[in-house]
Amino acid sequence: MLADDDSEIYEAILLERKRQEEGLELIPSENYVSKNVLEAMGSILTNKYSEGLPGKRYYGGNKYIDVVEQLAIDRAKQLFGCEHANVQPLSGSPANLAALYAVLGIGDKFMGLELAHGGHLTHGAAVNFSGQMFKPVPYGVSQETEMFDYDEIRKIALREKPKLILSGLTAYPREIDFKAFSEIADEIEAYHMADIAHIAGLVVGGVHQSPIPYCDIVTTTTHKTLRGPRGAIIMSKTEDRYHDKYHQNSQKNLAQMIDFAVFPCFQGGPHNHTNAAKAVAFNEAMQPEFKDYAEQIVKNARALADSLMSHGFRLVTGGTDNHLILVDLRNKDVSGKEAETALDEVGITVNKNMVPFDPRKPWDPSGIRLGTPVLTTRGMKEDEMNYVGELINRAIKHRSDASAKEKVRHDVLELCRQFPFYD
Ligand code: DSN
């Protein structure tokens, strides 16, 4: 038993479990998975090497691994309604690396959402492979509305003529119009790729527009709103619609280009235990209750947004359409880092975050980012969100008052005990 044989690791796991049970987890990219997902992840499937694809492996003994991976592929295709799915990417950044490299050459131009405006590192940040291997052209949000201005994005696309336009977010609290992005991409004969890591659960739950009809490639992690294990998948159309323009010397279609980029180009053996857990999570997301869950995530985000605004917090874009909220703290005379620390001390976990046009730096920006996937998984609804907004306000307002903070910590614990998860 781990408890007897490696007490240091065992203790750390127990303490992290207690932290998750006794705190309010508001990081929008996190979730709590089911026991079945945990069971699949903790299985003996981790022992097996299986480079290749189902039915075509470079190692023997993959009879049952093939069953697992084929189920994951079939379920991903059914869940999202996509033509092709590769379920092997180890996580979001490797998925985006393989997806971009499948269609772009070194130095090729692509457009992605600027990191400071809610994009991801892999959407073209200078410090990331995406900004170093390719030539990124950033687009941002409007200074006035803090939302996408599709006319402005179109102007940049017409001027720059990128080979690919990437739509996707990590800190944009509004619905993305994938159709509008695809019309811009079509006009300049560019690929359209969407990264739906944050919103995949909302897409399959029917509370966010699906990118599948409008994209050549769609990547997603599996551990955020989708509530699966840490990992990712890449979905695509089968055909490469720009084969004659960009890849006339290749024998491969788009699905084959994606598979080749994942393995052998960037990865070795797939993590079969994780792929089994992905299949379990896809099956869970196909159940009718998952639609209710996705709807409740959005209702909860709106309720939390209203509560925060009633306590004088300024929200970027004035609210939310999805699972996340970006708070601009400049009117509260507290930085993102100070607020993150103050909330952490009372058991409320958020992350400091840049707001669009932030005068401060990423290590201590002007904002914090919050989301409702975990609290919704625990069964909380709008009334609790209203109260969580009050707790956040008290923790930030009384951050220098030890006894007031102790009272908030007590109230956080009380609330968490009403919504246990891993009993
Ligand atoms: N690191 C993730 C997030 O927190 O949004 C994105 O992959």
Side-chain angles (χ1 to χ4, degrees), residues 12-293:
I13 294 172
L14 274 195
L15 288 171
E16 172 58 16
R17 178 181 168 141
K18 184 169 151 67
R19 190 195 70 80
Q20 291 186 15
E21 283 289 343
E22 296 185 349
L24 295 171
E25 188 59 69
L26 282 162
I27 292 178
S29 46
E30 294 182 8
N31 215 328
Y32 290 0
V33 300
S34 71
K35 287 182 179 164
N36 289 344
V37 168
L38 286 180
E39 191 179 332
M41 280 208 87
S43 70
I44 47 75
L45 296 178
T46 193
N47 297 338
K48 189 75 194 97
Y49 253 121
S50 50
E51 287 173 359
L53 288 165
K56 200 177 164 211
R57 304 285 188 184
Y58 290 87
Y59 289 78
N62 274 298
K63 188 170 164 191
Y64 304 111
I65 296 299
D66 278 1
V67 173
V68 167
E69 188 169 336
Q70 194 58 53
L71 276 169
I73 292 168
D74 292 344
R75 289 178 185 178
K77 284 164 74 171
Q78 190 183 342
L79 180 62
F80 287 94
C82 58
E83 289 176 23
H84 176 70
N86 184 305
V87 300
Q88 295 188 4
L90 303 178
S91 205
S93 293
N96 283 351
L97 170 62
L100 288 170
Y101 193 68
V103 290
L104 299 181
I106 302 286
D108 276 349
K109 208 184 257 188
F110 81 100
M111 267 173 74
L113 178 59
E114 194 170 331
L115 186 63
H117 288 210
H120 187 249
L121 282 163
T122 55
H123 298 180
V127 292
N128 184 260
F129 78 82
S130 57
Q132 296 180 6
M133 281 168 65
F134 309 116
K135 187 157 180 241
V137 177
Y139 59 88
V141 296
S142 144
Q143 189 144 17
E144 198 188 329
T145 63
E146 299 174 311
M147 297 190 207
F148 290 148
D149 174 345
Y150 292 95
D151 290 335
E152 186 54 35
I153 294 169
R154 177 172 174 269
K155 266 191 217 155
I156 301 172
L158 292 182
R159 186 184 68 227
E160 298 286 343
K161 300 251 178 346
K163 191 167 165 185
L164 179 146
I165 298 181
L166 175 48
S167 55
L169 61 96
T170 67
Y172 181 70
R174 296 295 176 177
E175 181 157 16
I176 297 185
D177 187 348
F178 292 113
K179 184 164 184 283
F181 271 105
S182 78
E183 283 166 3
I184 296 168
D186 288 352
E187 203 176 337
I188 55 164
E189 296 194 341
Y191 292 101
H192 180 200
M193 166 173 155
D195 172 353
I196 59 166
H198 265 259
I199 55 171
L202 307 185
V203 167
V204 301
V207 288
H208 192 294
Q209 188 189 118
S210 169
I212 297 291
Y214 306 115
C215 287
D216 301 280
I217 304 171
V218 177
T219 61
T220 184
T221 51
T222 45
H223 49 272
K224 298 187 175 83
T225 50
L226 196 52
R227 213 164 57 182
R230 302 199 81 79
I233 61 172
I234 304 176
M235 297 168 276
S236 74
K237 299 264 193 300
T238 305
E239 290 310 317
D240 175 10
R241 63 178 163 145
Y242 299 128
H243 176 271
D244 292 345
K245 186 170 176 184
Y246 294 123
H247 305 114
Q248 62 273 43
N249 296 327
S250 169
Q251 301 299 310
K252 297 185 174 71
N253 62 32
L254 184 58
Q256 291 163 330
M257 286 154 71
I258 298 283
D259 289 345
F260 183 81
V262 174
F263 172 83
C265 202
F266 290 112
Q267 291 188 183
H271 290 188
N272 297 307
H273 55 307
T274 308
N275 292 346
K278 287 175 193 173
V280 172
F282 297 156
N283 189 43
E284 290 175 359
M286 280 191 266
Q287 305 310 311
E289 311 83 86
F290 196 87
K291 195 169 163 34
D292 301 335
Y293 169 63

